[in-house]
Amino acid sequence: MDFDLSEEQNLLRQSAERLLADQYDFEARKQHGQDEPGWSRAMWAKFAELGLLAIPFSEEDGGLGGGPVELMLVAEAMGAKLTLEPYLPTVILGGGILRRAPESLRQRWLEGVIAGTTLLSLAHAERQARFTLSDVATRVRLDGDHYVLDGDKSLVLAGDSADALVVTARLNGERRDEGGIVLLLVDAKAEGVTRNGYATQDGRRAAEIQFRNVRVSQDNLIAGPETGFALLQAVTDEAIAALCAEAVGAMSAISGLTVEYLKTRKQFGVPIGSFQALQHRASDMYVELEQARSMALFATMMAAEQDAAKRGRAISAAKVQIGRSARQIGQEAIQLHGGIGMTMEAAVGHYFKRLTMIELMFGDTDHHLRRVAETVGPL
Amino acid sequence: MDLRFTDEEVAFRQEVRDFIATNLPAETRERLQSGHHPTRDDIVNWQRILNEKGWAVPHWPEEWGGTGWGPVKQYIFREELQSAPAPEPLAFGVYMVGPVIAEYGSEEQKKRFLPRIANLDDWWCQGFSEPGAGSDLASVRTTAVRDGDHYIVNGQKTWTTLGQYADWIFCLVRTDKEAKKQSGISFLLIDMKSPGITLRPIVTIDGGREVNEVFFDDVRVPADQLVGEENRGWDYAKFLLSNERVGIARIGVSKERLRRIRELSASEHASDGTPLISDPRFAEKIAEVEIDLKALEITQMRVLAAERAEGKGKPNPLSSILKLKGSQIQQRTTELLMEIAGPYALAYEPEREEGSNEPPIGPEWAGLSASTYFNARKVSIYGGSNEIQRNIIAKAILGL
């Protein structure tokens, strides 16, 4: 048992943190958000230069062969600065699926992903599904040597700027069956794909995407109806683990901002941090932060577990802790800041909003608590 | 980074588990499993079995019986004891006064006391708290006045746990009334048979007799029973308290209780006749504690890893979290056990603890569930109340 990082991992963390410290303070972030398409392509190129976009891909695919620990370090650093760029959809979701795709697809797409010239996303969620991962109504049928896609996908992260989409669709079975789901790689500009991009509450982008009679050649099949769901599940769990780390970065930052505010803001002639009522609330935030950090480490450790039931239970447990901590820390940070916390001009509210969105993504706290409660076995 | 235990640590855990399985008296294990406190004999016998094995005082200096285990192995050992469940070593000797004597005592004191603590030949109790002192430990009013080669002790201690069995008590006493609060305190070892000592039990809300008041009326204490230097007692007390916080999360105890909660909620029925565990509301309550406990376990691992890296001595600020969360989880598990008992938690049958032949009202295990819940309210009060822990976090960590 050890929590030590290897020399390479330390280096990775330091270089990511240094880049963001230089180029991603709160004012710079506002600028990045003004860029087309709602985040900074210049920053994205710097991420590529630093190798951040190559982390999870194998060395033979041109990547760095990193695992959950490396992704955790980057996600935490990005969470601390509330970066807007589509790292989760491109590298962790789209990339996570593509790196397990047949060789021809990896060869065609990964070079661009790693170079920062190709953006990906996962078009999976549907309006009716809420948090049920296997709820896929989008249909796909085989027509000669092409698949034909029909359906509507919702809340596709950074879907408006993606070059290629990993799309989940049902080849057979009932709407919520785990079997029968296939994963296809679809060019975002293919005929029959209509994208409607919009802003999300946390300053990022998402898209509603319609697929109407979209013809996809057979060699774009990533996973067939027997393996599609398991792959989707594995990558979703990896994404939740990374999201937990991102949340820890954000919670750590927002807690730091709050403590700083308590030390400097004066009322009744003294710093408000001298009031015990506020001290105890800040202490509880700290406890929640450290418990969340522990569970983010747990999620990282379990993200690569092969046994899906065991992995899922652990990931859900982590998401519950993150969700509870995020809600308490976020709300308390606003409360302790008082009026200024309610304004767009203070950073604290932006962290609060991102944390709230993280809570609601990939299954909210109740969803994951139910998953832990319904399953057995030691955590 | 690898959060799993090493093969060696896993093997060590198995060795400890096997030893406990073979050597822990069955009646002791059964008593603890059913929620009863261990008897005096349970504690003494088990300590002597451990001592024979060489595991009585793992964390002490090797010269005095320590095993030389690192923090991780020490943690595994305690967790296995707690989850067996086996009686834990009597903390007042093994974790409190023993390390203080080993660190600050004279050679003569070490020889005289340490082997008898390890073998539990002497039962020690703690004389720190005083009436009105609460968490403000340094406001000691019990006095010790030097008279030739003796101290004359007058005053009162309270919350003295299991003092009714004690042969010795270690006390904080005021030796300099003029000095500032913390600096006039000394650390004195007192024979409980000394003339002038009276003990009065305090009955706690669970109906138990666990704690006592101890009165000192002109008690003569040989001066060679002073630990270290006069008026330096507060330093020794701080050293003692930092040791106390290490095991305070009691993760093994909560793990064992969670096991019982899962077991019982599968066998006990809710009002509609189905097992309690199939009630989603109840299942989620259990899941919430499980998640809390897992998070705390990893926080505990982080504390141990930091301790291993930095060496002992510097108390890790994270240990306040262990106290805060650990106590909340312990309390929550006792609540859930009582909720499983439901109406059968109402019956109060203290005489059954002494082994009555009358059949219990309701299931055997349910009889103590409310008492255990009442008793567990103490854990967020002792060892530095949870509010004190929040003060520590605010000051020492957040710099407020």
Side-chain angles (χ1 to χ4, degrees):
Chain A
M1 184 204 78
D2 75 88
F3 296 84
D4 304 333
L5 298 176
S6 70
E7 208 170 309
E8 291 81 11
Q9 288 166 341
N10 257 321
L11 220 58
L12 171 71
R13 182 171 71 178
Q14 285 163 10
S15 57
E17 284 178 353
R18 200 175 312 128
L19 173 69
L20 295 174
D22 277 358
Q23 321 238 348
Y24 231 108
D25 66 18
F26 184 54
E27 288 308 311
R29 178 178 182 271
K30 281 186 196 160
Q31 285 306 313
H32 297 325
Q34 301 296 319
D35 285 358
E36 200 58 38
W39 47 271
S40 163
R41 289 193 188 267
M43 280 309 300
W44 193 251
K46 288 189 175 123
F47 291 171
E49 216 171 283
L50 212 57
L52 302 186
L53 308 183
I55 287 173
F57 305 108
S58 70
E59 287 174 31
E60 59 190 50
D61 285 338
L64 295 175
V69 175
E70 284 77 9
L71 290 176
M72 172 189 81
L73 298 173
V74 172
E76 190 177 337
M78 291 183 169
K81 294 295 180 178
L82 289 180
T83 57
L84 300 163
E85 287 66 29
Y87 195 82
L88 181 71
T90 294
V91 177
I92 294 175
L93 289 168
I97 289 171
L98 252 188
R99 74 184 177 87
R100 293 157 161 111
E103 198 186 346
S104 61
L105 285 172
R106 299 202 311 267
Q107 278 182 352
R108 201 180 329 147
W109 291 99
L110 286 184
E111 202 184 322
V113 170
I114 291 168
T117 51
T118 302
L119 300 171
L120 304 174
S121 191
L122 171 64
H124 167 63
E126 298 182 8
R127 180 71 186 82
Q128 81 289 344
R130 197 169 165 86
F131 299 129
T132 305
L133 200 62
S134 63
D135 191 331
V136 174
T138 295
R139 305 298 307 197
V140 64
R141 63 190 164 83
L142 199 55
D143 179 22
D145 57 357
H146 277 71
Y147 287 102
V148 182
L149 262 176
D150 261 295
D152 295 341
K153 294 293 184 179
S154 192
L155 281 159
V156 180
L157 301 176
D160 51 353
S161 53
D163 300 298
L165 301 165
V166 175
V167 184
T168 56
R170 182 163 296 288
L171 187 66
N172 54 53
E174 300 294 321
R175 203 185 85 199
R176 294 180 167 210
D177 286 355
E178 294 183 357
I181 297 172
V182 302
L183 274 63
L184 289 164
L185 195 79
V186 180
D187 189 319
K189 296 190 179 68
E191 205 181 320
V193 178
T194 315
R195 295 189 281 177
N196 172 26
Y198 50 90
T200 52
Q201 285 282 2
D202 46 15
R204 301 180 185 215
R205 303 285 303 174
E208 302 296 287
I209 305 184
Q210 288 180 355
F211 298 87
R212 293 289 176 270
N213 262 318
V214 178
R215 296 182 66 80
V216 185
S217 71
Q218 257 185 322
D219 56 0
N220 285 301
L221 181 74
I222 298 170
E226 289 83 27
T227 55
F229 182 74
L231 174 52
L232 178 68
Q233 214 177 16
V235 172
T236 305
D237 286 344
E238 283 174 8
I240 293 174
L243 215 49
C244 290
E246 186 196 328
V248 167
M251 286 189 266
S252 182
I254 198 178
S255 302
L257 284 174
T258 305
V259 168
E260 214 31 58
Y261 188 76
L262 293 176
K263 287 177 187 171
T264 48
R265 167 74 166 151
K266 287 190 174 172
Q267 293 268 271
F268 311 105
V270 291
I272 58 175
S274 62
F275 302 137
Q276 196 180 39
L278 305 194
Q279 288 177 357
H280 281 194
R281 295 173 79 156
S283 297
D284 284 337
M285 286 171 73
Y286 172 78
V287 173
E288 284 303 310
L289 167 64
E290 292 307 323
Q291 290 287 84
R293 195 188 299 281
S294 289
M295 286 308 264
L297 287 165
F298 183 51
T300 300
M301 180 184 75
M302 297 299 288
E305 166 66 45
Q306 293 299 307
D307 179 341
K310 206 170 156 191
R311 183 188 69 228
R313 197 158 194 271
I315 294 288
S316 284
K319 187 72 165 52
V320 170
Q321 180 64 55
I322 296 294
R324 294 189 299 202
S325 294
R327 183 153 310 183
Q328 183 176 341
I329 290 173
Q331 291 179 350
E332 289 290 76
I334 299 289
Q335 178 70 23
L336 294 181
H337 271 81
I340 192 74
M342 291 299 298
T343 67
M344 280 290 201
E345 71 184 74
V348 55
H350 297 265
Y351 283 100
F352 174 53
K353 292 200 286 183
R354 177 61 185 160
L355 286 169
T356 305
M357 296 308 113
I358 289 176
E359 233 191 288
L360 300 174
M361 287 165 77
F362 301 105
D364 62 7
T365 304
D366 282 352
H367 170 82
H368 286 288
L369 182 60
R370 202 170 305 129
R371 237 177 111 186
V372 176
E374 281 169 358
T375 52
V376 285
L379 277 174
Chain B
M1 195 174 87
D2 188 346
L3 306 195
R4 287 167 305 189
F5 287 105
T6 62
D7 289 346
E8 196 211 336
E9 286 158 357
V10 171
F12 173 72
R13 184 186 289 278
Q14 195 56 49
E15 185 191 351
V16 174
R17 193 171 292 181
D18 291 345
F19 178 81
I20 297 173
T22 317
N23 293 285
L24 178 65
E27 54 171 348
T28 303
R29 183 196 298 265
E30 280 157 23
R31 197 175 348 265
L32 294 180
Q33 260 170 350
S34 64
H36 288 88
H37 295 294
T39 63
R40 182 186 188 281
D41 287 348
D42 285 335
I43 297 172
V44 171
N45 291 340
W46 179 236
Q47 182 68 22
R48 288 179 185 164
I49 292 170
L50 288 178
N51 198 27
E52 196 140 308
K53 172 74 177 168
W55 287 354
V57 285
H59 54 293
W60 284 14
E62 285 176 64
E63 188 190 352
W64 297 106
T67 53
W69 295 338
V72 177
K73 280 191 176 176
Q74 286 183 36
Y75 169 77
I76 290 173
F77 178 69
R78 283 191 82 172
E79 192 190 298
E80 285 302 315
L81 287 183
Q82 290 171 350
S83 60
E88 284 184 81
L90 185 69
F92 313 107
V94 171
Y95 293 113
M96 295 185 182
V97 76
V100 169
I101 293 173
E103 183 79 16
Y104 301 106
S106 66
E107 274 312 298
E108 199 274 328
Q109 286 170 341
K110 291 177 193 175
K111 282 186 198 136
R112 179 175 172 195
F113 292 113
L114 293 181
R116 295 181 60 81
I117 292 174
N119 203 47
L120 202 34
D121 295 328
D122 292 333
W123 186 292
W124 282 82
C125 64
Q126 182 179 23
F128 275 18
S129 293
E130 295 188 4
S135 291
D136 183 8
L137 205 52
S139 60
V140 170
R141 284 182 303 181
T142 297
T143 56
V145 178
R146 186 71 183 243
D147 177 27
D149 52 5
H150 281 76
Y151 287 98
I152 313 292
V153 177
N154 279 288
Q156 184 191 343
K157 295 291 176 182
T158 191
W159 307 126
T160 304
T161 302
L162 300 181
Q164 66 266 38
Y165 304 140
D167 305 301
W168 286 83
I169 184 169
F170 57 91
C171 288
L172 292 183
V173 291
R174 190 157 295 284
T175 36
D176 183 349
K177 283 184 189 169
E178 308 305 316
K180 275 211 308 195
K181 207 167 162 187
Q182 277 91 349
S183 44
I185 294 172
S186 297
F187 197 106
L188 213 50
L189 312 175
I190 305 177
D191 189 334
M192 284 293 278
K193 290 184 292 293
S194 313
I197 293 186
T198 24
L199 193 83
R200 210 187 68 173
I202 301 171
V203 180
T204 45
I205 52 175
D206 57 327
R209 193 200 148 170
E210 201 176 29
V211 286
N212 302 272
E213 292 178 294
V214 186
F215 299 89
F216 299 85
D217 187 12
D218 282 333
V219 177
R220 292 183 68 82
V221 180
D224 64 3
Q225 285 164 214
L226 173 81
V227 174
E229 295 170 39
E230 206 177 83
N231 298 329
R232 291 281 309 280
W234 185 247
D235 294 338
Y236 314 145
K238 278 196 298 188
F239 170 83
L240 181 152
L241 293 172
S242 73
N243 292 332
E244 187 187 8
R245 218 170 289 145
V246 173
I248 210 145
R250 298 175 70 81
I251 286 167
V253 171
S254 292
K255 273 189 176 174
E256 154 67 10
R257 279 220 195 95
L258 257 177
R259 262 200 298 275
R260 288 184 60 219
I261 287 168
R262 258 188 248 113
E263 229 174 76
L264 291 167
S265 61
S267 61
E268 293 301 308
H269 288 183
S271 303
D272 67 356
T274 59
L276 256 181
I277 189 75
S278 61
D279 172 0
R281 230 179 99 66
F282 198 78
E284 285 178 14
K285 286 188 192 177
I286 298 176
E288 280 184 325
V289 187
E290 241 183 312
I291 294 165
D292 278 336
L293 185 58
K294 186 71 207 180
L296 191 68
E297 190 181 8
I298 295 171
T299 305
Q300 169 85 70
M301 296 297 139
R302 291 167 58 203
V303 172
L304 292 176
E307 208 175 285
R308 191 173 50 186
E310 287 156 22
K312 281 198 86 166
K314 202 166 168 263
N316 190 313
L318 280 176
S319 58
S320 283
I321 298 183
L322 300 181
K323 169 64 178 34
L324 259 174
K325 277 283 167 186
S327 59
Q328 289 168 351
I329 292 168
Q330 285 177 69
Q331 291 175 334
R332 190 75 183 123
T333 55
T334 64
E335 276 177 69
L336 289 180
L337 272 174
M338 180 177 69
E339 288 179 20
I340 295 173
Y344 292 114
L346 263 74
Y348 177 57
E349 304 177 273
E351 73 279 5
R352 286 197 49 76
E353 245 190 291
E354 311 301 329
S356 150
N357 289 326
E358 293 290 307
I361 298 166
E364 175 80 46
W365 62 270
L368 281 170
S369 63
S371 296
T372 307
Y373 162 68
F374 297 143
N375 184 276
R377 300 318 296 171
K378 73 187 176 192
V379 301
S380 53
I381 299 169
Y382 68 34
S385 73
N386 285 13
E387 287 66 36
I388 293 287
Q389 303 303 327
R390 289 187 180 93
N391 287 350
I392 292 172
I393 291 171
K395 295 209 161 47
I397 302 174
L398 306 179
L400 291 172

